[in-house]
Amino acid sequence: MGRLTGGDPSLLRRINSAVVLYALRAADSATLTALVQVTGLSRPTVEGVVEGLIEIGLVAETAAEEGGTRRQGRPARRFRFRAEAGHLLGIEIGSHRIAALLSDLGGRTLDSEQRPVDETVPADERLERVRTLVAELLRRAGVARRSLRAVGVGSPGIVEADGTVRLGTALPGWTGLPLGERLRRSFRCPVLVENDANAAAVAEHWKGVAVESDDIVFVLAGLSPGAGSLIGGRLHRGFGGAAGEIGALHLLGREATPEALLSTTGKPLTPLDEAQVAAVFALARDGDGQAREAVDRFIRRLVHDVAALVLALDPQLVVVGGWAAGLAGVLEPLRGELARYCLRPPQVALSELGEAAVSTGALRLALDHVEGELFTVEGTVTGRQGRPPVRGTSP
Amino acid sequence: MGRLTGGDPSLLRRINSAVVLYALRAADSATLTALVQVTGLSRPTVEGVVEGLIEIGLVAETAAEEGGTRRQGRPARRFRFRAEAGHLLGIEIGSHRIAALLSDLGGRTLDSEQRPVDETVPADERLERVRTLVAELLRRAGVARRSLRAVGVGSPGIVEADGTVRLGTALPGWTGLPLGERLRRSFRCPVLVENDANAAAVAEHWKGVAVESDDIVFVLAGLSPGAGSLIGGRLHRGFGGAAGEIGALHLLGREATPEALLSTTGKPLTPLDEAQVAAVFALARDGDGQAREAVDRFIRRLVHDVAALVLALDPQLVVVGGWAAGLAGVLEPLRGELARYCLRPPQVALSELGEAAVSTGALRLALDHVEGELFTVEGTVTGRQGRPPVRGTSP
């Protein structure tokens, strides 16, 4: 009979600690007896692990009165995960808006803030405004900056693994910006930077319209659509972080740019901004023939780009978000065309999180990072979101 | 201190057996002492496991004279993996060709056979021809049918997990055909059916141009291009097995069909077969203006479809195979256009395996299945191809 070879005591201790913490977080509070049952560990092991977790502030003993069945004699001690032991931020840095969400270690949102920002604001000033917004948010919530355990950021562009923006044409000064490094100076905790559409995909899977779907494409439908996708519940970034950057596709067909597509005068719409586009959509709704044609052209292009994503990836569900999703009925033409041309048409749904999608996804990425630190032991747990640690101990 | 909970003796025995077998397969032959060193197991455990593997025919003792250092006194016993203990088939069932590869349990090719088949041949007859071809191949190689451990099959169409063709327009009677079930009746061993482009992607990653790349798109460039992709070294099938079926994309743009694209007369080319297409390409090479324009249109469409895949997936490498790849210089225009329009252009290469790509990939899928059975213990090994079993025992 074999034994576990190379049995490293400190590795086993860390596995046991992760298992107990995971079980505690899944419950409101638990007794030692319950933890022994759920984890399969011995009582002395659980006791030792819980003491260690109390010492580092991640677990607290609850007052015996709080819930739980009392027995005769001394009530059983109960323990809980201290979600308040740390905090997380999810930040969106967009072309027209900055926003931030603050949560505890359990991912519960404590407060949020957002502010419009002009698309012409340079990178340094944009970052300064993010810092100001976060400082106000923390002050209002009474959370110390040193309590932050991780910060997630969603922003347009192709983002490298280290948080540098490789290419980002939507924001001035964004291409080449070491965004992660710049923000790490402010926060002194891990900062995870992600493409905005990718973050939104993660958000809809976490608490939006895609909670039941592991294979999704999120289309951030603006002037130039971007997309994020999850495959088997995991973010698909692509080899160089550029997956889903479908906006360039129309260039190949030598089709018109959005400026030309949406023109009702024959001349390109410049500057092409949301107000201009909204005006064209409004005209179309009022029955203006040229505006209707322009909107049709715009939707056809969106449908084409989304179809390309769907044919390449074969997702279960396509989620449409971004401002264009709100302007007109893009959903019905999209469903119709996908059903017509895709060999296996996916479901199509509107984003449930709307404007909060990017910051919510950024928060989830920060939470993933912290959960990875708390619950993962190298080589023993898959990277899948929300998965339990080794030895399936989920109660 | 914790111990492995629920220590199931038979689970541990299976893990140990998988580890020893994996170590033996990686070496030509090995002594018990070497196995003890490599696996970290105790000598009695290794002895017990090896005896068990000899009993079921997967391991043999080699003659002491075969290689190895002799010492004074009794030479150390040496053992080897019996690759000849079973056999595998990789089969291509295409519209114009059927082909089969035979290998041993180690994946070494023993023999192969291929035969042209007309695209109009009905499904039953096509399957009958496959059976005949396989019977001849087995007879020639002196391999008994009962020695087959798994059969992989690559064929056009969207293939369900159970081996049923959900949609396959390239072959008569293919849509709805329970291909896996039909072939399991002939082979009485596991039969794994996969889309042809998916199989080809697996093949190029195994022993073709993509051995160094884990994120690839294989484009099977025919009249209607199909594609297979690997993400992180694993096949991406999509939610419904339809990923990469990019051929429908041109319909969306209301662009012309291949029949019209390749016409030099203004009338659609019918029937559009390889001979007709080859003739157009030959005319173009001879300087015919209309043929050149037709070829340009055809290549533009291919470039557009591939670009859609690349923008959606962001692979490291695009491999171009299929007959269109051989007809004209598609590589250079593809590289140029991808560099122009993709935010992060991938490398582009021609298939190295050529016509053997689909059957080779089908063989690899059969090998994966058998390796999964031999080397995997539930929940302990990732599904990644070629990965060692638990406890990193690769010598």
Side-chain angles (χ1 to χ4, degrees), chain A residues 44-88:
Chain A
T45 300
V46 169
E47 282 178 339
V49 163
V50 166
E51 288 306 322
L53 289 168
I54 289 175
E55 267 170 41
I56 59 173
L58 285 172
V59 164
E61 188 169 350
T62 63
E65 289 71 31
E66 288 177 22
T69 52
R70 283 243 208 161
R71 302 206 195 156
Q72 292 198 307
R74 203 165 53 128
R77 296 168 73 194
R78 298 188 72 87
F79 301 91
R80 66 173 181 86
F81 174 63
R82 289 190 68 236
E84 70 275 26
H87 293 84
L88 305 165

Side-chain angles (χ1 to χ4, degrees), chain A residues 5 40 236 239-240 242 244 252 307 311 314, chain B residues 5 40 239-240 242 244 252 307 311 313-314:
Chain A
T5 54
H236 172 61
F239 181 70
L252 277 161
L311 290 170
D314 185 24
Chain B
T5 54
F239 180 70
L252 277 161
L311 290 170
L313 289 164
D314 185 24

Side-chain angles (χ1 to χ4, degrees), chain A residues 1-5 8-10 12-13 16 39-42 44-45 158 166-167 215 229 231 236-249 251-255 300 303-304 307-316 337-338 340-344 347 391, chain B residues 1-6 8-10 12-13 16 39-42 45 158 166-167 215 229 231 236-249 251-255 300 303-304 307-316 337-338 340-344 347 391:
Chain A
M1 272 301 309
R3 290 176 305 108
L4 242 198
T5 54
D8 169 2
S10 96
L12 285 177
R13 233 178 343 251
N16 293 338
T39 61
L41 297 169
S42 73
T45 300
I158 300 178
R166 177 204 276 261
L167 185 64
D215 296 275
S229 57
I231 295 175
H236 172 61
R237 293 187 171 84
F239 181 70
E245 294 294 329
I246 202 75
L249 190 60
L251 298 172
L252 277 161
R254 313 293 191 276
E255 289 166 33
R300 264 207 306 278
V303 167
H304 178 266
L309 285 166
V310 167
L311 290 170
L313 289 165
D314 185 24
Q316 180 180 11
E337 295 290 281
L338 290 180
R340 202 163 150 202
Y341 294 115
C342 294
L343 301 177
R344 205 204 57 76
Q347 300 164 47
R391 288 187 264 146
Chain B
M1 270 302 309
R3 289 175 304 110
L4 243 197
T5 54
D8 168 2
S10 96
L12 286 177
R13 222 164 10 235
N16 293 338
T39 62
L41 298 169
S42 74
T45 300
I158 301 179
R166 176 203 277 260
L167 186 64
D215 297 276
S229 56
I231 295 174
H236 172 62
R237 291 187 173 84
F239 180 70
E245 293 295 326
I246 202 75
L249 190 60
L251 298 172
L252 277 161
R254 312 294 189 280
E255 289 167 35
R300 263 205 308 276
V303 167
H304 178 266
L309 285 166
V310 167
L311 290 170
L313 289 164
D314 185 24
Q316 180 181 10
E337 296 289 280
L338 291 179
R340 198 160 155 206
Y341 294 115
C342 294
L343 300 176
R344 204 205 57 76
Q347 300 164 46
R391 288 188 262 147

Side-chain angles (χ1 to χ4, degrees), chain A residues 1-3 5, chain B residues 20 30-37 39-51 71 74-79:
Chain A
M1 272 301 309
R3 290 176 305 108
T5 54
Chain B
V20 168
T31 60
L32 290 174
T33 306
L35 288 171
V36 166
Q37 280 174 353
T39 62
L41 298 169
S42 74
R43 190 169 185 101
T45 300
V46 169
E47 279 176 341
V49 163
V50 166
E51 287 307 321
R71 301 205 194 158
R74 203 167 53 128
R77 296 169 71 195
R78 300 187 71 88
F79 303 90

